[in-house]
Amino acid sequence: MIIDNVRIYQPFDERNKDKTYAIEFEDGVFQSIHPSPYKGPKTSIDGKGKLIAPSFNDSHMHLLRYGLLKKELDLTEAESFKEVKELIENHYGNLKENQWFFGKGFNDAQFDDIDHLLTAQDLHEIHADAYIFLLHEDGHECVISEKALELLREEEAFKKEPDIFKEKDDQGQWTGRFKDTAVHYIKRHFWGRSVKDAKQALKAAFPHINENGLTSLHTDDLNFIRSYDRLWRAYTELENEGELPIDVQLHHYIFDIDDLRQFLRTHKLRTGDGTNQVKVGAIKIFLDGTQRLHTSAMRNPYPENPDTSGTLIYTQEQVNEMVAEAGENGMQVAMHAIGDRACEQAIEALEQKEAHTRERRHRIIHAQTLAPDLMDRLRTLKPYIETQPSFLLGEWNKKDKWTPKELLPFCDAFNSLVRDHIPVTLSSDLPIGSINPLVTINTAVNRTDLEGNPEGGWMPQEKLKVDDSFHAFTTVPAEFEYQEDSKGKIKPGYQADFVVLDQHPHEIPPQDLHQIKVLETWYRGKKVYERK
């Protein structure tokens, strides 16, 4: 197929942006880029001067969770506890004893009809004898019912989770509210959706993915289905049925070294192995929590809560062992580290020879708080840093509550990392961050919210250039997949994944980048989305 009369935008491309081309692709791969008008013997279609660009590759999200929000009970719009109760009753119909009720996306800090955060005692009002699990909108906090607490008390392995993640009342009893890895444990161990349920949820998500120009993604879904084998089946069955309009890397989240060893014993495939569309991703490890809950591990106390500096989930020796064993066995590692203490722990583990950091292309996820000494070590080590700029939309005015003043210039240090040649990706952490890559790019370039606040941008020295931002959302993520020579560019021999955009990123004011619309999305040479 040849599409004639199109302009091309891709990062650091020296083509004249006003010149038009004819792009030829066949069997899902770009064959040639011809001058326009095309004068060869093959049939072409008129691209009408539209702009094409490489499609987006989101290196960090939770696709199954997002799909479940579309398929199951979504509480993101609830503004009161009364609305939560009504949504549950309407969604589930007749509430039965011993039934599981799931709800996702609540934010009880904004509820106007209760003066406290939800606990198990509150859920008693919904149903006294039901298993209820409600997940907070950021995924780092949950509340469960008294009935569910009874199950949890019988779980010996749950005792390993840090006590700080288990909220207690004045009598030392669990309130039903849990944080961070305790949440992950509950999701993983109390239920596992079927392959059929997972496929239905994923199919509910795909139209939204393609609508936003995404054709590749890396996802951590295990906690929502329990079994990696079941997860693999869901995605590969969709591929075999011709219903998978993306390339996907599936991460395996582990709690400890035993989880890792079990995976290595029972699975022969390693990072980058798999089918045509579905590949094994990274081993996912959480090193700390989140700043909102004051559980991300800092080297200094939180300014708004001087009694704590957060929590490390593992000792350095434990992290070193997990990273070394993964690296020695062909597995990439992706470590969640938000606070500077957690980032330091990740860096130390990756500095081990046994980690094989350069070869495996290990990742640090978030790295939201750094410092001069950590930047020096990163400059030498050069792991990949997965950033989520859209978090700044709602966090820029809270950073000084979480981070000492002298470290604020090293928060979300996108530009410093790029200028120091430390590889960076932009990503969403969907459903927590924005699904729209152009919103993420807008935030990385401007460091403001979508209304332009704060004026001039928060820590403006860390603004990314437009080309750097697109590069971090297209070419760099392909390196995680060891496919930088075949994905992420409009170039002969590369996979024919591209988008049609309504505006050129270099022809509009930077503050308008989020207003660029995806008109079409093409995956492996086939149109999978067209804007109506």
Side-chain angles (χ1 to χ4, degrees):
M1 183 175 188
I2 297 174
I3 305 179
D4 196 5
N5 187 25
V6 292
R7 296 197 296 160
I8 296 176
Y9 166 71
Q10 57 186 343
F12 312 116
D13 195 337
E14 296 182 357
R15 288 187 183 90
N16 184 332
K17 65 184 179 68
D18 296 321
K19 192 172 180 180
T20 58
Y21 299 87
I23 59 168
E24 179 181 354
F25 49 93
E26 186 177 347
D27 296 328
V29 176
F30 290 117
Q31 302 297 319
S32 300
I33 299 177
H34 306 278
S36 183
Y38 174 69
K39 298 182 184 300
K42 298 180 181 179
T43 303
S44 64
I45 62 173
D46 185 5
K48 299 180 181 179
K50 292 178 180 177
L51 178 74
I52 70 165
S55 57
F56 300 106
N57 186 338
D58 192 322
S59 64
H60 181 70
M61 68 159 61
H62 309 273
L63 182 62
L64 181 55
R65 177 180 164 195
Y66 177 76
L68 290 168
L69 275 174
K70 299 299 179 185
K71 176 179 174 288
E72 299 182 349
L73 180 55
D74 183 356
L75 301 175
T76 53
E77 300 301 321
E79 296 182 357
S80 67
F81 184 42
K82 179 183 177 183
E83 286 186 43
V84 168
K85 290 187 284 187
E86 290 174 349
L87 286 166
I88 290 174
E89 290 168 0
N90 292 336
H91 183 81
Y92 284 100
N94 295 325
L95 305 183
K96 300 176 183 178
E97 187 177 341
N98 295 325
Q99 185 177 355
W100 269 106
F101 304 143
F102 308 107
K104 305 171 196 66
F106 79 92
N107 181 3
D108 48 353
Q110 67 182 10
F111 291 174
D112 56 13
D113 58 344
I114 55 174
D115 60 2
H116 60 276
L117 299 181
L118 292 176
T119 66
Q121 187 173 354
D122 295 304
L123 301 192
H124 203 74
E125 295 181 27
I126 299 173
H127 199 296
D129 293 306
Y131 299 102
I132 303 175
F133 173 91
L134 304 182
L135 184 66
H136 193 277
E137 66 177 1
D138 71 2
H140 284 271
E141 201 169 10
C142 75
V143 59
I144 65 175
S145 64
E146 295 283 357
K147 191 84 170 176
L149 276 174
E150 293 174 9
L151 289 180
L152 196 57
R153 292 188 184 101
E154 298 172 2
E155 290 282 318
E156 283 296 316
F158 190 66
K159 294 177 181 178
K160 297 179 183 178
E161 298 305 311
D163 277 345
I164 197 169
F165 296 160
K166 307 165 185 174
E167 185 180 285
K168 297 178 181 178
D169 60 20
D170 294 339
Q171 287 73 47
Q173 300 300 310
W174 291 343
T175 67
R177 200 171 182 98
F178 299 93
K179 303 173 182 177
D180 296 313
T181 58
V183 179
H184 304 157
Y185 183 98
I186 295 167
K187 288 186 296 185
R188 176 85 65 88
H189 289 79
F190 283 168
W191 69 88
R193 290 169 180 84
S194 67
V195 171
K196 180 180 178 181
D197 285 342
K199 288 167 66 176
Q200 289 174 346
L202 292 169
K203 286 196 283 187
F206 293 151
H208 304 277
I209 294 297
N210 292 148
E211 177 183 350
N212 285 280
L214 292 158
T215 57
S216 295
L217 54 88
H218 303 193
T219 182
D220 171 18
D221 292 340
L222 189 55
N223 284 336
F224 293 91
I225 195 169
R226 185 186 293 177
S227 160
Y228 193 81
D229 290 331
R230 198 180 302 154
L231 181 68
W232 188 266
R233 275 187 57 202
Y235 277 95
T236 53
E237 283 185 13
L238 287 171
E239 177 183 7
N240 293 334
E241 292 160 8
E243 302 251 18
L244 186 65
I246 52 171
D247 285 355
V248 63
Q249 301 260 322
L250 301 181
H251 294 335
H252 189 288
Y253 169 32
I254 63 170
F255 284 97
D256 53 31
I257 190 68
D258 291 335
D259 275 353
L260 174 60
R261 288 170 178 164
Q262 172 71 11
F263 176 83
L264 294 174
R265 280 196 305 269
T266 57
H267 295 82
K268 295 181 179 179
L269 301 181
R270 297 294 182 255
T271 299
D273 295 340
T275 68
N276 191 32
Q277 293 176 256
V278 183
K279 312 285 189 196
V280 175
I283 293 295
K284 174 83 175 286
I285 309 173
F286 272 80
L287 301 189
D288 67 349
T290 183
Q291 290 176 308
R292 179 182 69 83
L293 299 172
H294 301 158
T295 53
S296 59
M298 307 288 285
R299 298 193 290 191
N300 299 279
Y302 282 80
E304 69 175 353
N305 186 2
D307 293 334
T308 186
S309 56
T311 304
L312 283 175
I313 295 170
Y314 305 103
T315 65
Q316 187 67 58
E317 290 72 23
Q318 289 173 315
V319 179
N320 288 354
E321 184 180 30
M322 288 186 285
V323 171
E325 190 145 345
E328 293 274 56
N329 285 278
M331 287 301 299
Q332 194 177 84
V333 172
M335 286 180 281
H336 166 113
I338 289 181
D340 54 352
R341 177 67 190 93
C343 292
E344 183 178 41
Q345 189 179 61
I347 290 168
E348 186 163 330
L350 294 176
E351 286 172 337
Q352 301 175 96
K353 178 182 177 183
E354 296 83 1
H356 302 282
T357 295
R358 293 287 180 91
E359 181 183 355
R360 301 285 179 252
R361 305 180 182 184
H362 295 312
R363 331 175 182 195
I364 300 176
I365 306 167
H366 306 307
Q368 287 181 265
T369 309
L370 296 171
D373 63 307
L374 300 181
M375 293 295 294
D376 287 343
R377 294 168 74 178
L378 288 171
R379 199 176 296 118
T380 300
L381 184 62
K382 287 187 172 36
Y384 285 75
I385 309 295
E386 292 183 11
T387 72
Q388 298 75 37
S390 71
F391 286 4
L392 281 175
L393 294 172
E395 292 186 350
W396 67 266
N397 57 352
K398 301 178 181 68
K399 291 289 186 179
D400 59 348
K401 299 177 182 179
W402 302 333
T403 309
K405 184 177 181 180
E406 62 273 17
L407 288 183
L408 286 174
F410 299 94
C411 291
D412 301 285
F414 311 142
N415 188 54
S416 292
L417 291 167
V418 170
R419 299 283 82 80
D420 282 343
H421 304 288
I422 299 162
V424 167
T425 68
L426 304 190
S427 60
S428 66
D429 205 355
L430 189 72
I432 301 169
S434 174
I435 189 175
N436 185 350
L438 292 153
V439 169
T440 295
I441 287 170
N442 184 92
T443 314
V445 170
N446 297 292
R447 293 181 73 92
T448 66
D449 61 26
L450 300 184
E451 286 72 48
N453 301 309
E455 185 177 354
W458 186 78
M459 295 295 159
Q461 75 278 3
E462 293 301 336
K463 293 180 180 180
L464 276 186
K465 295 178 180 178
V466 171
D467 277 5
D468 288 326
S469 299
F470 275 86
H471 183 66
F473 230 134
T474 54
T475 306
V476 182
E479 295 175 14
F480 287 149
E481 307 168 18
Y482 311 111
Q483 296 195 74
E484 65 270 27
D485 293 328
S486 59
K487 283 184 68 173
K489 294 181 181 179
I490 298 173
K491 184 177 179 180
Y494 279 63
Q495 193 165 300
D497 301 339
F498 61 95
V499 289
V500 179
L501 303 178
D502 71 338
Q503 299 180 87
H504 195 296
H506 287 168
E507 294 176 349
I508 59 174
Q511 63 269 23
D512 292 339
L513 284 165
H514 67 287
Q515 296 181 9
I516 295 176
K517 300 291 189 297
V518 174
L519 303 178
E520 298 175 13
T521 303
W522 292 67
Y523 168 64
R524 295 181 179 237
K526 294 182 179 179
K527 189 190 297 184
V528 292
Y529 167 74
E530 183 172 10
R531 186 179 180 87
K532 302 300 183 184

